[in-house]
Amino acid sequence: EGPTFERQLSCSSDHNGTATTTSGNSGDDHCEGWKIFPILHPAPLSDADSELLRCVGLDAYVAIRFLRFGFDVTFYPFLFSLLTLIPIYLTNEYDGETMLTDNGWSTTTTSGYFRVTINSIENRSHKLYAPIAFAVLFQLYFLRRLYLEWIVFMELREDFMAHGDPDALEENGLESVRQFRRTCLVECVPKTHRSDRDLWLMFDSLFPGHVVRAELVVQCTRLGKLIQRRQSHIEQYEELYARHYHRERVYE
């Protein structure tokens, strides 16, 4: 039977809190760490996320998760600040003070927008502990969310590197996986090897009998010449325009 291709995290927790693995390696270090610190355990992908991953692919799914991560680390701390920091700023009775600095007299502004900022709290006030505590909690929350996203990304990337895209596999699933794992992408191919046969002969000379096929995805010699010709026309036009514009500026 061919391999199964399920998008699951390697480590997941069952109902009694023990860690199990679906990757065949039950001794992963990060699994042991999750046993000790359950708060660092990423939740398995939901059915909606799994379906989204299947439909859009890994790259687009990671981009969507990044947008979701940005929303989570900005919107929810903002709501928390509305319940904690903003009331402290608004209820504190402080009209600012004027002090002498190296650049002259400086006044602390506490009106308008600055009324809902840390400017509304005087120096050496015990209320300054509130924004400090908020900053510490925010950093811990941000780092935890970032760590969880990194774990999810690494698991999905390892699964993709091992199994490839299930939708792109052919009927002979095991052979398709084997070819996926042993396929490499080559860039900057010299002009002398820009054909399927020449590229295959070059690799076959390096690894005799081990190269199944070599494919040059895009053979765009004519397109490259057209791009160079277009760039040449652009430069000629810019040079002519610059000369004409400069001549008009001289006679003004």
Side-chain angles (χ1 to χ4, degrees), residues 17-57:
T18 60
T20 60
T21 177
T22 60
S23 63
N25 183 6
S26 59
D28 291 344
D29 295 337
H30 55 270
C31 295
E32 296 297 329
W34 291 344
K35 292 180 182 179
I36 302 175
F37 303 103
I39 195 173
L40 298 180
H41 187 299
L45 296 184
S46 62
D47 294 339
D49 280 351
S50 299
E51 180 65 14
L52 179 63
L53 174 62
R54 186 189 67 84
C55 293
V56 303

Side-chain angles (χ1 to χ4, degrees), residues 43-135:
L45 296 184
S46 62
D47 294 339
D49 280 351
S50 299
E51 180 65 14
L52 179 63
L53 174 62
R54 186 189 67 84
C55 293
V56 303
L58 180 60
D59 292 342
Y61 178 74
V62 170
I64 293 174
R65 286 193 68 99
F66 174 76
L67 296 177
R68 186 189 302 170
F69 166 77
F71 176 83
D72 290 346
V73 298
T74 54
F75 181 71
Y76 297 117
F78 166 71
L79 294 181
F80 184 68
S81 70
L82 293 179
L83 301 176
T84 56
L85 292 183
I86 303 302
I88 294 176
Y89 295 153
L90 290 176
T91 57
N92 190 57
E93 297 180 358
Y94 176 60
D95 297 329
E97 60 181 346
T98 302
M99 62 183 66
L100 182 62
T101 63
D102 296 338
N103 298 325
W105 291 95
S106 175
T107 303
T108 303
T109 304
T110 60
S111 60
Y113 162 77
F114 296 97
R115 188 60 184 167
V116 291
T117 66
I118 199 173
N119 277 24
S120 62
I121 299 180
E122 63 272 16
N123 293 333
R124 295 176 297 275
S125 172
H126 66 279
K127 293 183 179 181
L128 287 175
Y129 286 108
I132 293 176
F134 180 87

Side-chain angles (χ1 to χ4, degrees), residues 117-176:
T117 66
I118 199 173
N119 277 24
S120 62
I121 299 180
E122 63 272 16
N123 293 333
R124 295 176 297 275
S125 172
H126 66 279
K127 293 183 179 181
L128 287 175
Y129 286 108
I132 293 176
F134 180 87
V136 173
L137 292 176
F138 172 75
Q139 290 297 328
L140 292 176
Y141 171 71
F142 176 85
L143 293 176
R144 176 182 177 273
R145 286 287 286 107
L146 184 62
Y147 175 78
L148 295 181
E149 289 298 322
W150 175 74
I151 290 296
V152 172
F153 170 74
M154 290 301 298
E155 295 289 346
L156 294 177
R157 181 175 180 272
E158 291 173 359
D159 177 76
F160 180 81
M161 296 295 292
H163 301 144
D165 187 356
D167 293 337
L169 297 178
E170 301 176 358
E171 295 181 357
N172 54 344
L174 189 59
E175 179 63 23
S176 298

